[in-house]
Coordinates of all heavy atoms in Angstrom, one line a residue:
L1503 N 4.0 10.5 -6.9 CA 4.9 10.9 -8.0 C 4.2 11.1 -9.3 O 4.6 12.1 -10.0 CB 6.0 9.8 -8.1 CG 7.0 9.6 -7.0 CD1 7.8 8.4 -7.2 CD2 7.8 10.8 -6.8
T1504 N 3.2 10.4 -9.6 CA 2.5 10.5 -10.8 C 1.8 11.9 -10.8 O 1.8 12.6 -11.8 CB 1.4 9.4 -11.0 OG1 2.1 8.2 -11.0 CG2 0.7 9.6 -12.3
I1513 N 2.4 29.9 -16.9 CA 3.1 30.8 -17.7 C 2.7 32.2 -17.4 O 1.5 32.5 -17.5 CB 2.9 30.5 -19.2 CG1 3.3 29.1 -19.6 CG2 3.7 31.5 -20.1 CD1 2.9 28.7 -21.0
S1519 N 5.5 47.7 -24.8 CA 5.9 48.4 -26.1 C 6.8 49.5 -25.7 O 6.4 50.4 -24.9 CB 4.6 48.9 -26.8 OG 5.0 49.6 -28.0
P1523 N 3.9 49.3 -20.4 CA 2.9 48.2 -20.4 C 1.8 48.4 -21.4 O 1.3 49.6 -21.6 CB 2.5 48.1 -19.0 CG 2.7 49.4 -18.4 CD 3.9 50.0 -19.1
Y1556 N 4.7 24.6 -27.1 CA 3.6 25.5 -27.4 C 4.1 26.7 -28.1 O 5.3 27.1 -28.0 CB 2.8 26.0 -26.2 CG 2.2 24.8 -25.3 CD1 2.9 24.4 -24.2 CD2 1.0 24.3 -25.7 CE1 2.3 23.4 -23.4 CE2 0.4 23.3 -24.9 CZ 1.1 22.8 -23.8 OH 0.6 21.8 -23.1
M1563 N -4.5 45.6 -30.9 CA -4.8 46.4 -32.0 C -3.8 47.5 -32.2 O -3.5 48.2 -31.3 CB -6.2 47.0 -31.9 CG -6.6 47.9 -33.0 SD -8.3 48.6 -32.8 CE -9.3 47.2 -32.9
Q1568 N 3.2 39.1 -31.7 CA 4.5 38.4 -31.5 C 4.3 37.0 -31.1 O 3.4 36.7 -30.2 CB 5.3 39.2 -30.4 CG 6.7 38.7 -30.3 CD 7.5 39.6 -29.3 OE1 6.9 40.4 -28.6 NE2 8.8 39.3 -29.2
L1585 N 5.9 44.4 -28.0 CA 5.3 44.6 -29.3 C 5.7 45.9 -29.9 O 6.0 46.9 -29.2 CB 3.8 44.6 -29.2 CG 3.2 43.4 -28.4 CD1 1.6 43.4 -28.5 CD2 3.7 42.1 -29.0
E1658 N -15.8 60.0 -56.6 CA -16.0 61.3 -55.9 C -16.3 61.0 -54.4 O -16.7 60.0 -54.0 CB -17.2 62.0 -56.5 CG -17.0 62.4 -58.0 CD -16.1 63.6 -58.1 OE1 -15.8 64.3 -57.1 OE2 -15.6 63.9 -59.2
G1659 N -16.1 62.1 -53.7 CA -16.2 62.1 -52.2 C -17.5 61.5 -51.7 O -17.5 60.8 -50.7
G1680 N -15.7 66.8 -40.4 CA -15.5 65.6 -39.6 C -14.1 65.0 -39.6 O -13.7 64.4 -38.6
L1688 N -4.6 60.8 -30.6 CA -5.8 60.1 -30.1 C -6.3 59.0 -31.0 O -7.2 58.3 -30.7 CB -7.0 61.1 -29.9 CG -6.8 62.2 -28.9 CD1 -8.1 63.0 -28.8 CD2 -6.4 61.6 -27.5
P1698 N -17.4 48.6 -52.6 CA -18.7 48.7 -51.9 C -18.7 48.0 -50.5 O -18.3 46.9 -50.4 CB -19.7 48.1 -52.9 CG -19.0 48.3 -54.2 CD -17.6 48.1 -53.9
K1744 N -5.3 61.5 -19.9 CA -6.3 60.6 -19.4 C -6.3 60.6 -17.9 O -5.3 61.0 -17.3 CB -6.0 59.2 -20.0 CG -4.8 58.5 -19.4 CD -4.6 57.1 -19.9 CE -3.4 56.4 -19.3 NZ -3.3 55.0 -19.8
P1765 N -3.1 86.2 -44.8 CA -3.5 86.2 -46.2 C -2.3 86.2 -47.1 O -1.4 87.1 -47.0 CB -4.4 87.4 -46.3 CG -4.8 87.8 -45.0 CD -3.7 87.3 -44.1
S1799 N -18.6 52.1 -23.7 CA -17.8 53.3 -23.9 C -18.7 54.4 -24.5 O -19.7 54.1 -25.2 CB -16.7 53.0 -24.9 OG -17.2 52.6 -26.2
L1800 N -18.3 55.6 -24.1 CA -19.0 56.8 -24.6 C -18.0 57.8 -25.1 O -16.9 57.9 -24.5 CB -19.9 57.4 -23.5 CG -21.1 56.6 -23.0 CD1 -21.7 57.3 -21.7 CD2 -22.1 56.4 -24.0
D1808 N -14.3 78.9 -38.0 CA -14.5 80.1 -38.7 C -13.5 80.2 -39.8 O -12.3 80.3 -39.6 CB -14.4 81.3 -37.8 CG -14.6 82.7 -38.5 OD1 -14.8 82.7 -39.7 OD2 -14.4 83.7 -37.8
F1951 N -32.0 46.2 -51.5 CA -31.4 45.0 -51.1 C -30.0 44.9 -51.6 O -29.7 45.2 -52.8 CB -32.2 43.8 -51.7 CG -31.6 42.4 -51.3 CD1 -31.6 42.0 -50.0 CD2 -31.0 41.6 -52.3 CE1 -31.0 40.8 -49.7 CE2 -30.5 40.4 -52.0 CZ -30.5 40.0 -50.7
I1995 N -29.1 73.1 -62.3 CA -30.3 72.6 -63.0 C -30.5 71.1 -62.7 O -29.6 70.3 -62.9 CB -30.1 72.7 -64.6 CG1 -29.8 74.1 -65.0 CG2 -31.4 72.2 -65.3 CD1 -30.8 75.1 -64.6
W2031 N -9.9 45.7 -59.5 CA -11.4 45.9 -59.3 C -12.1 46.4 -60.5 O -11.5 46.9 -61.5 CB -11.6 46.9 -58.1 CG -11.3 48.3 -58.5 CD1 -12.2 49.2 -59.0 CD2 -10.0 49.0 -58.5 NE1 -11.5 50.4 -59.3 CE2 -10.2 50.3 -59.0 CE3 -8.7 48.6 -58.1 CZ2 -9.2 51.2 -59.0 CZ3 -7.7 49.6 -58.1 CH2 -7.9 50.8 -58.6
D2086 N -9.4 53.7 -64.5 CA -10.1 54.2 -65.6 C -11.5 54.4 -65.1 O -12.2 53.5 -64.8 CB -10.1 53.2 -66.8 CG -10.8 53.7 -68.0 OD1 -11.2 54.9 -68.0 OD2 -11.1 52.9 -68.9

Side-chain angles (χ1 to χ4, degrees):
L1503 290 173
T1504 303
I1513 303 173
S1519 177
Y1556 301 99
M1563 181 182 293
Q1568 187 176 9
L1585 307 187
E1658 297 281 348
L1688 295 184
K1744 72 175 182 181
S1799 63
L1800 295 172
D1808 175 3
F1951 179 68
I1995 307 298
W2031 73 90
D2086 180 12

